[in-house]
Amino acid sequence: MRGDRRLFRGLDLSLSPGTYVQLTGPNGSGKTSLLRILCRLLEPAEGEIRWEGANIRSLGEDYFTAVTYLGHRPGVKDELSALENLTIANAVNGVEVDTENASGALQTMGLAGRERLPARFLSEGQRRRVALARLLVSNTRLWLLDEVLTSLDKRAVGLVRSLIEEHLNRGGIAIVATHQELELSAGVTKRLELTT
Amino acid sequence: MRGDRRLFRGLDLSLSPGTYVQLTGPNGSGKTSLLRILCRLLEPAEGEIRWEGANIRSLGEDYFTAVTYLGHRPGVKDELSALENLTIANAVNGVEVDTENASGALQTMGLAGRERLPARFLSEGQRRRVALARLLVSNTRLWLLDEVLTSLDKRAVGLVRSLIEEHLNRGGIAIVATHQELELSAGVTKRLELTT
Amino acid sequence: MKLYKYASPAMFYPVAGKMIPWFAIPAALLFAVGLYVGFFVAPTDFQQGDAYRIMFIHVPAAWMGMFLYVLMAIYAGIGWAFNARLSSMMASAIAVTGAMFTLLSLVTGAFWGKPTWGTWWAWDARMTSTLILLFLYAGFIALQAAIDDPRRADRAGAVLAIVGVINVPIIYFSVQWWNTLHQGATIRLLGKPSIAAPMLTALLIMLAACWLYSVAIVLVRLRCIILEREQNASRLAEVNA
Amino acid sequence: MLRWIVWRDLILAWRRRSDILSTVFFFVIVVSLFPLGIGPETQLLRSIAPGVVWVAALLASMLSLGRLFANDYQDGTLEQLLLTPQPLFLVVLGKVLAHWIIAELPLVLIAPLVGVQFDLSKQTLWVLFVSLLLGTPILSLIGSVGAGLTLGLRGGGVLISILILPLYVPALIFGAGAVEATIIGVTPAPNLYLLGAFAVVSLLFAPWAASAALRISLE
Amino acid sequence: MLRWIVWRDLILAWRRRSDILSTVFFFVIVVSLFPLGIGPETQLLRSIAPGVVWVAALLASMLSLGRLFANDYQDGTLEQLLLTPQPLFLVVLGKVLAHWIIAELPLVLIAPLVGVQFDLSKQTLWVLFVSLLLGTPILSLIGSVGAGLTLGLRGGGVLISILILPLYVPALIFGAGAVEATIIGVTPAPNLYLLGAFAVVSLLFAPWAASAALRISLE
Ligand code: HEM
Ligand SMILES: Nc1ncnc2c1ncn2[C@@H]1O[C@H](COP(=O)(O)OP(=O)(O)OP(=O)(O)O)[C@@H](O)[C@H]1O
Ligand SMILES: Nc1ncnc2c1ncn2[C@@H]1O[C@H](COP(=O)(O)OP(=O)(O)OP(=O)(O)O)[C@@H](O)[C@H]1O
Ligand SMILES: [Mg+2]
Ligand SMILES: [Mg+2]
């Protein structure tokens, strides 16, 4: 990603591989909106976003092979088991993951023994873990994570931290909107504070 | 409240005025369920809850004059302004609050100037503040607050803390389910940790 | 209280298992006898020929459909009022059987109507109210299927069944009245011809067979429901342990 | 406090006037689909008019019932209503009353206009109006039970309809029957009396059943 | 990947079989309401049968359309579908196809049975079946646009109906017209051809419009 500007805040930023951006700011300061602009769910009122030099609008659907976005809502279907959720979500994305890999990822996320339980029997925190397991099996380079620590207990927060660290070590970029601090030991950390 | 037991956890507890109970535990450990049992939204599988010596089931609707419950969802109507939300919620409860008091409460919650804005234009944190303003104008003695710090920034967390402190000083009881710590300088703090 | 002990689903499960043959075997025997008497002993009707023999299935099925709805509502109501899980499960088990009998009476009625009235269906009062009864069963079953939590499903079903049972007589009479308002029915049901003795015997035997069959099948279904719920519960408990 | 609940729902409805209009439009559109599907013979249309208008009213009210508790449920207000110091069935009654004013009354008022499309006589239009005035409270009342039972369930829209449409049958028969009677020149009185009696029965049982349903759904 | 989207929706529907049954029952119930409102004369009923069955199909499909994107929207899956590396209209097409299989095909199959209740002849039933087979894809396709536009709006249920029912009118006229023609002994062919043409036009435009609608709703 090379440049981004936002009308009512005047934001200009370029990120190199291995960067972690911590997006903070009081409620309603525009964290979610910024992330949604970055994954083209919203159009910026002005300015443009470039990925590897090209405007993301001109990249079309190809851009999405490089991006994973996790929003406020976990995107986990109640009727499907954790395993089905993971494999089908990836298959729809064009990445077919075999059952073994998928259940490996779920085990890493601390869901061992619950892979085949319909997601409606999982607690809120466990559902978020299913969503996070997608980060383990995907090979995208830009992660956009919105309030990813919501309703996670301490163990899970530690897991997310190490996930992001590995991602940065592989040269990925992660932009995370959060109210809680996340101290990373790898990569370059940038703090971006939005104000109302 | 005098006594409460819960089948799958064996919980027995009696609280005196001025007590603050911090309810913690990993996801899915039953915090929400416990609070909902305490305000009769759920039936306990076994055991009973007493309020001033009487079983809350036998108290009927009168029990609700003593209790305020704030759940996961703020209970704020998008179409109404902050002010209307507050006054109508109270009127339905049988407590008629005049506009002045109500806007005073909203100002205390840091919503000055936004009282007449429909709530759908408020950010998530501001909507929660509207819900919290109910604590200011109500005169109930038992507060049951579920994840009340969700999506609040630091200033708002401080506000909630002082609200609860005042409530305890007036002899109220507060039971708060939360993942974040809330250090109080008033009242008796009890920690209740649920395990899965 | 011995009875109370058996009111627990886990305790009732083996008991139900033992009871099933005691109902299933007589049901099979009575079906065989009833069908034999109905189709070979009973005389041919002078008006309708042999078509009337469908009555031996149609009439018991129609009766069972109506009785079972009331029974279901009673069980559901008891289950709700006294928090008796077994009773609620019984209601769920009855619902499917009742719906099946109602459907059977509709289908046999239609097959009967074709040769006698020359049409599969007419908006006759009894037919229409049977159809609505089927809808009521469908609502009950759909509601329970849509709710994941079995306890909540039981109670929601109970409310619906009770509201339905209050409504059934109103519906029945309104439909009755509706049809006779517009026209003197062009075609009447058989009315009450003096039925030959073998006919009556066959009808009563078939009715008894249907009752026994209902008890047996409801018990089978009840066992499935108990098993399914226990399994779900133990699966969850296992995972949460 | 009942007053405040009704008042609250009326304000909310006023802020979303478009919903009210949508229900009315739905009613008008459904009624107008029939001449399109059936053909333009006046005689035929007149004889089916009572049935069509009444069925359309049933469907319109059923659709709007999906929202009776759903919005309050989603934003957590319904929990708060359950925790008010007053019997739950009063809360339900207040919401049903508001629903009737918001969603059914407009239908009652517009129905005679719609009836004109079917070339009904003045007297028939009048009976149509009265039958709907008596009958629509039944729809709101019985519907509240279905709305309570299906709260928070997926596929609620279709589900609520198969729960309550069969229960609407008597209202439909008496209501449409009254109009039909007028068309063929018989007195509609017995039908209207029966409709009124059914309304009273609903008023006695429905709020109670609906509050039970709400409690169950919110557990 | 289209395959996977269809597959996913079919699994989901299978897990909630009762939704499918509910739609079918809704259809049957609505059809049965009309005789109750109109009266039991066979002759009259036969002449309104095509209109009634088609209108009921319209309403049933409209109700089930509310769920086309709504569930995915609520749990955040729809956002994820928008971010898959493939054209959005393919995603929409997959979901519409699944919707047709789940919600419309059962109606098409049950319709002849319902037609029997109205004492239609064998040939008429056959034409009814074919007209629905040709016409229901139109309902799913056009409906997807409405479903996309009303996503996340309150009162979506009623709103979607006033948006798309008017667009359904051609399908209704040609479809019911074909059956009507058979009843009065004319060939239904022209109506069926027109219905087919309309289906092709919908197939060309609707997925595109629906994806635009989705993008707007998710902003
Ligand atoms: C689908 C169509 C039909 C349905 C839903 C239906 C429904 C019923 C029901 C509910 C009953 C029991 C009602 C009572 O005892 O009051 C019944 C009884 C009976 N039905 Fe039908 N019926 C249908 C068609 C027919 C036809 C076509 C015939 C014969 C021409 C027929 C002959 C009878 C007879 C003889 C009885 C016993 C009457 C009595 O003992 O009171 N039904 N049917
Ligand atoms: N759909 C919308 N319509 C109008 N205003 C909106 C809309 N969505 C967001 N806003 C406004 O844009 C601003 C930024 O919202 P955004 O959701 O990006 O905040 P945030 O920083 O993510 O807040 P939070 O910490 O609550 O998640 C807020 O002031 C909000 O009022
Ligand atoms: N409606 C329900 N049906 C079945 N199980 C449920 C239901 N509600 C809660 N549970 C189960 O009860 C347990 C306790 O849930 P509860 O919501 O009380 O947890 P919590 O401690 O509030 O969690 P969180 O931190 O996510 O808010 C969970 O394991 C959950 O799976
Ligand atoms: Mg945000
Ligand atoms: Mg909780």
Side-chain angles (χ1 to χ4, degrees):
Chain A
M1 203 182 37
R2 293 293 179 274
D4 166 59
R5 216 145 44 87
R6 197 149 183 253
L7 179 64
F8 39 106
R9 270 166 275 264
L11 182 65
D12 199 338
L13 184 73
S14 82
L15 303 175
S16 48
T19 312
Y20 166 71
V21 181
Q22 177 145 348
L23 208 56
T24 54
N27 298 122
S29 55
K31 301 182 292 299
T32 302
S33 310
L34 181 57
L35 288 181
R36 290 172 73 85
I37 287 177
L38 288 177
C39 67
R40 285 220 333 233
L41 283 173
L42 268 180
E43 288 292 314
E46 213 174 88
E48 53 169 13
I49 299 118
R50 291 169 176 280
W51 174 255
E52 292 177 340
N55 189 320
I56 57 170
R57 295 187 60 181
S58 64
L59 281 174
E61 277 80 25
D62 293 339
Y63 178 54
F64 297 132
T65 55
V67 179
T68 300
Y69 167 75
L70 292 185
H72 276 286
R73 284 167 295 189
V76 171
K77 303 264 12 146
D78 274 354
E79 294 87 355
L80 301 180
S81 71
L83 200 61
E84 287 168 326
N85 260 301
L86 188 57
T87 48
I88 293 186
N90 276 292
V92 168
N93 265 305
V95 185
E96 308 214 355
V97 183
D98 59 28
T99 315
E100 217 162 297
N101 274 343
S103 47
L106 290 172
Q107 266 161 30
T108 315
M109 290 312 300
L111 291 169
R114 289 165 214 233
E115 299 98 333
R116 291 180 189 279
L117 216 58
R120 65 166 172 276
F121 293 122
L122 297 178
S123 94
E124 195 55 32
Q126 290 162 338
R127 295 158 59 85
R128 284 210 80 93
R129 290 176 196 215
V130 176
L132 287 168
R134 289 185 51 205
L135 294 176
L136 268 170
V137 292
S138 78
N139 45 9
T140 51
R141 295 193 31 223
L142 175 61
W143 289 0
L144 305 170
L145 311 179
D146 196 359
E147 305 276 4
V148 78
L149 305 180
T150 310
S151 72
L152 290 183
D153 53 24
K154 272 156 210 149
R155 271 244 317 287
V157 171
L159 264 168
V160 173
R161 183 184 304 122
S162 58
L163 258 177
I164 296 180
E165 281 168 357
E166 251 173 61
H167 177 61
L168 297 177
N169 282 336
R170 279 198 311 267
I173 301 179
I175 307 183
V176 180
T178 173
H179 286 290
Q180 285 160 269
E181 284 285 313
L182 200 65
E183 302 287 337
L184 296 185
S185 59
V188 189
T189 300
K190 286 199 184 188
R191 236 165 280 270
L192 186 61
E193 180 142 0
L194 302 177
T195 50
T196 352
Chain B
M1 203 181 35
R2 293 295 177 272
D4 166 58
R5 219 149 38 90
R6 197 151 184 250
L7 179 66
F8 40 105
R9 271 166 271 265
L11 181 64
D12 198 338
L13 184 73
S14 82
L15 302 175
S16 47
T19 312
Y20 165 73
V21 182
Q22 175 144 353
L23 207 57
T24 55
N27 298 123
S29 55
K31 300 182 293 297
T32 302
S33 310
L34 182 57
L35 289 180
R36 290 173 72 85
I37 286 177
L38 289 177
C39 66
R40 284 217 336 231
L41 282 173
L42 266 179
E43 287 292 312
E46 213 174 90
E48 53 170 11
I49 299 119
R50 291 169 175 280
W51 174 254
E52 293 176 343
N55 188 321
I56 56 170
R57 294 188 60 179
S58 64
L59 282 175
E61 275 82 25
D62 293 337
Y63 178 53
F64 297 132
T65 56
V67 179
T68 300
Y69 167 75
L70 292 185
H72 275 287
R73 283 166 297 188
V76 170
K77 304 266 5 150
D78 274 354
E79 294 87 355
L80 301 180
S81 71
L83 200 60
E84 288 168 324
N85 260 302
L86 189 56
T87 49
I88 293 185
N90 275 292
V92 168
N93 264 306
V95 185
E96 307 212 358
V97 184
D98 58 27
T99 316
E100 219 162 296
N101 274 345
S103 45
L106 290 172
Q107 266 159 30
T108 316
M109 290 312 299
L111 290 170
R114 288 164 216 235
E115 299 98 334
R116 292 183 188 277
L117 219 56
R120 67 165 169 278
F121 293 124
L122 297 177
S123 94
E124 194 56 30
Q126 290 162 338
R127 295 158 60 84
R128 285 210 81 94
R129 291 177 196 212
V130 176
L132 288 167
R134 289 186 51 203
L135 296 175
L136 269 170
V137 293
S138 79
N139 46 9
T140 52
R141 296 192 34 222
L142 175 61
W143 288 1
L144 305 169
L145 311 179
D146 196 0
E147 303 276 3
V148 80
L149 305 181
T150 310
S151 71
L152 290 182
D153 53 25
K154 272 156 211 152
R155 272 242 318 285
V157 171
L159 265 168
V160 173
R161 184 184 303 123
S162 59
L163 259 177
I164 296 180
E165 281 168 357
E166 251 173 64
H167 177 61
L168 297 178
N169 283 336
R170 280 197 310 267
I173 300 179
I175 307 183
V176 180
T178 173
H179 286 290
Q180 286 160 269
E181 285 285 313
L182 200 64
E183 302 288 338
L184 296 185
S185 59
V188 190
T189 300
K190 286 198 182 187
R191 236 164 279 270
L192 187 61
E193 179 143 2
L194 302 177
T195 50
T196 351
Chain C
M1 282 287 286
K2 241 191 179 150
L3 268 179
Y4 182 76
K5 194 175 108 192
Y6 289 121
S8 128
M11 293 302 296
F12 189 71
Y13 185 81
V15 180
K18 279 195 208 109
M19 282 161 69
I20 288 170
W22 290 96
F23 290 96
I25 295 169
L29 290 177
L30 283 185
F31 269 130
V33 174
L35 288 177
Y36 176 78
V37 175
F39 281 80
F40 299 105
V41 179
T44 304
D45 186 86
F46 67 94
Q47 272 182 332
Q48 298 192 11
D50 281 328
Y52 87 95
R53 292 182 196 276
I54 211 165
M55 171 175 86
F56 300 121
I57 299 170
H58 170 76
V59 176
W63 282 340
M64 290 306 297
M66 293 189 292
F67 283 137
L68 286 180
Y69 190 86
V70 178
L71 201 63
M72 175 187 87
I74 292 174
Y75 271 112
I78 291 176
W80 183 33
F82 302 106
N83 210 8
R85 285 192 297 154
L86 189 62
S87 185
S88 300
M89 293 182 192
M90 194 75 178
S92 314
I94 291 175
V96 183
T97 309
M100 198 214 67
F101 272 119
T102 311
L103 190 64
L104 187 66
S105 86
L106 283 173
V107 172
T108 50
F111 278 107
W112 197 357
K114 192 63 184 169
T116 41
W117 301 346
T119 169
W120 300 101
W121 182 267
W123 292 92
D124 167 82
R126 256 197 288 203
M127 292 174 159
T128 310
S129 52
T130 309
L131 186 65
I132 296 170
L133 187 66
L134 183 67
F135 294 156
L136 288 175
Y137 274 121
F140 183 87
I141 294 170
L143 180 65
Q144 292 213 322
I147 302 177
D148 296 325
D149 174 14
R151 293 300 298 137
R152 184 182 156 192
D154 285 344
R155 291 182 227 181
V159 172
L160 186 66
I162 291 169
V163 172
V165 130
I166 295 172
N167 257 279
V168 161
I170 304 177
I171 292 173
Y172 187 80
F173 288 113
S174 66
V175 170
Q176 200 89 357
W177 194 67
W178 159 73
N179 197 352
T180 46
L181 179 76
H182 291 283
Q183 54 173 80
T186 39
I187 327 123
R188 284 262 68 170
L189 286 183
L190 269 186
K192 278 259 190 303
S194 46
I195 313 181
M199 286 191 195
L200 191 63
T201 323
L203 202 58
L204 290 178
I205 293 175
M206 287 301 288
L207 187 64
C210 282
W211 264 113
L212 291 169
Y213 165 81
S214 299
V215 176
I217 196 77
V218 164
L219 286 176
V220 171
R221 216 160 257 140
L222 185 66
R223 270 165 63 97
C224 291
I225 292 174
I226 294 175
L227 207 61
E228 197 179 314
R229 291 200 187 176
E230 298 285 291
Q231 262 175 0
N232 259 346
S234 65
R235 217 159 117 207
L236 270 181
E238 194 180 296
V239 162
N240 281 331
Chain D
M1 287 178 270
L2 180 66
R3 185 170 55 91
W4 275 104
I5 289 171
V6 179
W7 183 233
R8 190 191 76 113
D9 278 19
L10 291 182
I11 295 184
L12 287 174
W14 182 246
R15 297 275 156 90
R16 311 206 132 257
R17 283 171 291 255
S18 62
D19 280 5
I20 306 180
L21 271 181
S22 308
T23 312
V24 174
F25 265 108
F26 175 79
F27 177 68
V28 175
I29 291 175
V30 171
V31 172
S32 317
L33 286 179
F34 279 92
L36 292 175
I38 287 166
E41 300 100 85
T42 319
Q43 191 50 44
L44 182 63
L45 286 180
R46 194 181 304 143
S47 63
I48 64 167
V52 168
V53 172
W54 259 90
V55 171
L58 253 56
L59 294 173
S61 106
M62 193 203 74
L63 272 185
S64 62
L65 275 166
R67 279 170 298 154
L68 180 57
F69 302 117
N71 287 346
D72 282 348
Y73 174 70
Q74 270 160 17
D75 60 20
T77 326
L78 194 58
E79 278 175 358
Q80 298 293 343
L81 286 178
L82 252 74
L83 301 180
T84 55
Q86 61 193 296
L88 186 53
F89 81 85
L90 271 187
V91 176
V92 171
L93 207 62
K95 288 191 70 71
V96 169
L97 185 58
H99 176 264
W100 183 77
I101 297 174
I102 298 158
E104 313 274 11
L105 194 56
L107 300 190
V108 178
L109 298 176
I110 200 94
L113 225 73
V114 170
V116 168
Q117 289 188 320
F118 288 85
D119 199 28
L120 298 181
S121 74
K122 217 170 184 175
Q123 199 204 351
T124 317
L125 289 177
W126 184 239
V127 174
L128 179 66
F129 175 77
V130 173
S131 76
L132 283 171
L133 198 63
L134 272 173
T136 45
I138 304 176
L139 308 187
S140 291
L141 283 164
I142 295 186
S144 70
V145 183
L149 286 173
T150 55
L151 202 59
L153 302 181
R154 304 239 175 145
V158 183
L159 196 58
I160 194 178
S161 55
I162 73 168
L163 295 187
I164 60 178
L165 283 182
L167 301 178
Y168 280 172
V169 164
L172 171 65
I173 289 178
F174 300 143
V179 188
E180 196 85 46
T182 324
I183 291 180
I184 60 173
V186 187
T187 167
N191 274 301
L192 291 179
Y193 289 142
L194 284 167
L195 199 60
F198 190 43
V200 172
V201 172
S202 316
L203 185 62
L204 290 180
F205 287 103
W208 171 84
S211 21
L214 276 185
R215 283 206 188 284
I216 292 164
S217 292
L218 276 180
E219 278 236 327
Chain E
M1 287 179 270
L2 179 66
R3 185 169 56 90
W4 274 103
I5 289 173
V6 179
W7 183 234
R8 191 191 76 113
D9 278 19
L10 291 183
I11 294 184
L12 287 174
W14 182 245
R15 296 276 156 88
R16 312 207 132 256
R17 284 171 290 254
S18 60
D19 280 5
I20 306 180
L21 268 182
S22 305
T23 311
V24 173
F25 262 100
F26 174 78
F27 177 67
V28 178
I29 291 176
V30 170
V31 171
S32 315
L33 286 180
F34 281 97
L36 289 172
I38 288 167
E41 299 99 84
T42 317
Q43 191 52 43
L44 182 63
L45 287 179
R46 195 181 304 143
S47 65
I48 64 165
V52 167
V53 173
W54 258 90
V55 170
L58 253 55
L59 294 173
S61 105
M62 196 201 73
L63 271 187
S64 62
L65 275 167
R67 277 171 299 156
L68 179 58
F69 301 117
N71 286 347
D72 282 348
Y73 174 70
Q74 269 160 17
D75 60 19
T77 326
L78 194 60
E79 279 177 357
Q80 297 294 341
L81 286 177
L82 252 72
L83 301 180
T84 54
Q86 59 192 300
L88 185 53
F89 80 85
L90 269 187
V91 176
V92 171
L93 205 61
K95 288 191 71 72
V96 169
L97 184 57
H99 176 264
W100 183 77
I101 297 174
I102 298 159
E104 312 275 10
L105 194 55
L107 300 191
V108 178
L109 297 177
I110 200 93
L113 217 74
V114 170
V116 166
Q117 290 190 314
F118 288 86
D119 202 30
L120 298 181
S121 72
K122 218 170 188 172
Q123 198 205 349
T124 317
L125 290 177
W126 185 239
V127 174
L128 179 67
F129 175 78
V130 173
S131 76
L132 283 170
L133 198 64
L134 273 173
T136 45
I138 303 177
L139 307 186
S140 291
L141 283 164
I142 295 185
S144 70
V145 182
L149 283 174
T150 56
L151 201 60
L153 302 182
R154 302 240 177 141
V158 183
L159 200 58
I160 194 178
S161 54
I162 72 169
L163 284 181
I164 60 176
L165 281 182
L167 299 177
Y168 280 172
V169 165
L172 172 67
I173 290 179
F174 301 143
V179 187
E180 196 86 46
T182 324
I183 292 180
I184 59 173
V186 187
T187 168
N191 275 303
L192 291 178
Y193 288 142
L194 284 168
L195 199 61
F198 190 42
V200 173
V201 172
S202 320
L203 185 62
L204 291 180
F205 288 104
W208 171 83
S211 13
L214 276 185
R215 283 207 189 284
I216 294 166
S217 292
L218 276 180
E219 279 238 326

